[in-house]
Amino acid sequence: MRRREFIRLFVGAAAWPRAAHAEQPAEKPVVGVLESASPEGNAKRVDAFLKGLAEGGFVDGKNVTITYRWADNQTEKLAPFAADLVRHNVVVIVTPASMPATRAARAATSTVPIVFATGADPVAAGVVASLNRPGGNVTGVTSLNIDIASKRLGMLHQLVPQAKRCFVLVNPASPFSASFIKDVQTGAAKLGVQIDTLQANTEREIDAAFARLPAGSDKMLLSSPEAFLYSRRAQIITLAARNNVPAAFDTRDYVDDGGLLSYGADFLDVLRRAGVYVGRVLKGEKPTALPVVQSEKFELAINLRTAKTLGLTIPSQLLALADEVIE
């Protein structure tokens, strides 16, 4: 072998490791999803978030990795889960439909961006300074579903005009139960309706709450927008039917599953928009420069089959307002 050829081969061989290293695909950024609830019953919500993320050009397993932490309605797990995500160097933490999860993430880090999707007022919750200028490392999307409870009550009362009592089902562990009840009471005062509170934060307590309902047709029920109650929606819907009580909810999922009526923000759209925000963060935007988005898409859904079972006639004006009618 000629000396010139040997040198060329030697130099090329020496460059192999460096060239091979340069051609390795870059490590995918990791997004941590911190959930108060459990995977069961939340598939549509996860899909909505992933849809929004894809709109920003990010697909799980392709150019981003998503890791989930599900607390299974045990809020004491949220803090250690949040700390675990931070230790694993996630580039952003998502907290869908859970202000306790948002607070846990915020307590775990002041640097990792946090994107929430919530039905509550994030300013009142203390996680952002203002909607337009959130400040810090937290931003997201809010539906403000908790703040339209009185309007939901008014729609339900159109179905049961003879009702003089409204039972409000809340989770006492939720920091927003008091504000939800206050909003319901504002609407109830205008209707001349008495408010009674039912508290439950376990499956057994939900059974016990419904067992306290009186007989008769002069009652109705509102369920608070809350992650635990949402996770037990099948149980709540079954008990409402068994007790012959007209009930209203905040999201259409309840009506799809047999609930009577729902009015509130399209929460699947809220989660989709949260996914879009995560995409923007992954592209380098800072939470402090991303104002909190308020939902502009509200929907009324009515289940006519459930209404018929309860012996109710839906007023034509309410039917005309409905975005979805299940026959």
Side-chain angles (χ1 to χ4, degrees), residues 64-111:
V64 68
T65 298
I66 302 178
T67 181
Y68 297 86
R69 299 292 186 275
W70 298 90
D72 294 324
N73 298 308
Q74 300 175 56
T75 54
E76 67 274 10
K77 291 184 176 181
L78 291 171
F81 278 170
D84 182 57
L85 289 173
V86 173
R87 282 195 301 270
H88 281 79
N89 297 317
V90 296
V91 296
V92 58
I93 298 175
V94 188
T95 57
S98 174
M99 191 52 68
T102 305
R103 286 173 164 170
R106 189 169 178 263
T109 177
S110 60
T111 55

Side-chain angles (χ1 to χ4, degrees), residues 145-216:
N145 265 351
I146 287 176
D147 296 331
I148 58 172
S150 59
K151 189 168 184 178
R152 194 175 302 126
L153 173 63
M155 292 180 173
L156 180 60
H157 192 254
Q158 289 185 53
L159 296 180
V160 201
Q162 76 277 11
K164 300 302 179 185
R165 298 179 71 183
C166 179
F167 292 85
V168 181
L169 180 64
V170 299
N171 178 356
S174 169
F176 305 108
S177 292
S179 61
F180 175 73
I181 293 170
K182 183 178 179 181
D183 192 55
V184 174
Q185 288 173 332
T186 299
K190 298 176 182 178
L191 298 171
V193 172
Q194 175 185 329
I195 296 297
D196 295 279
T197 302
L198 302 173
Q199 297 186 346
N201 63 3
T202 67
E203 181 179 346
R204 182 174 297 179
E205 287 182 358
I206 292 175
D207 287 334
F210 275 89
R212 291 196 293 273
L213 291 177

Side-chain angles (χ1 to χ4, degrees), residues 219-240:
K219 62 184 182 296
M220 51 188 173
L221 181 138
L222 284 184
S223 184
S224 173
E226 201 275 329
F228 166 69
L229 296 178
Y230 175 83
S231 73
R232 301 304 309 168
R233 63 188 180 278
Q235 179 187 5
I236 293 170
I237 291 167
T238 299
L239 288 169

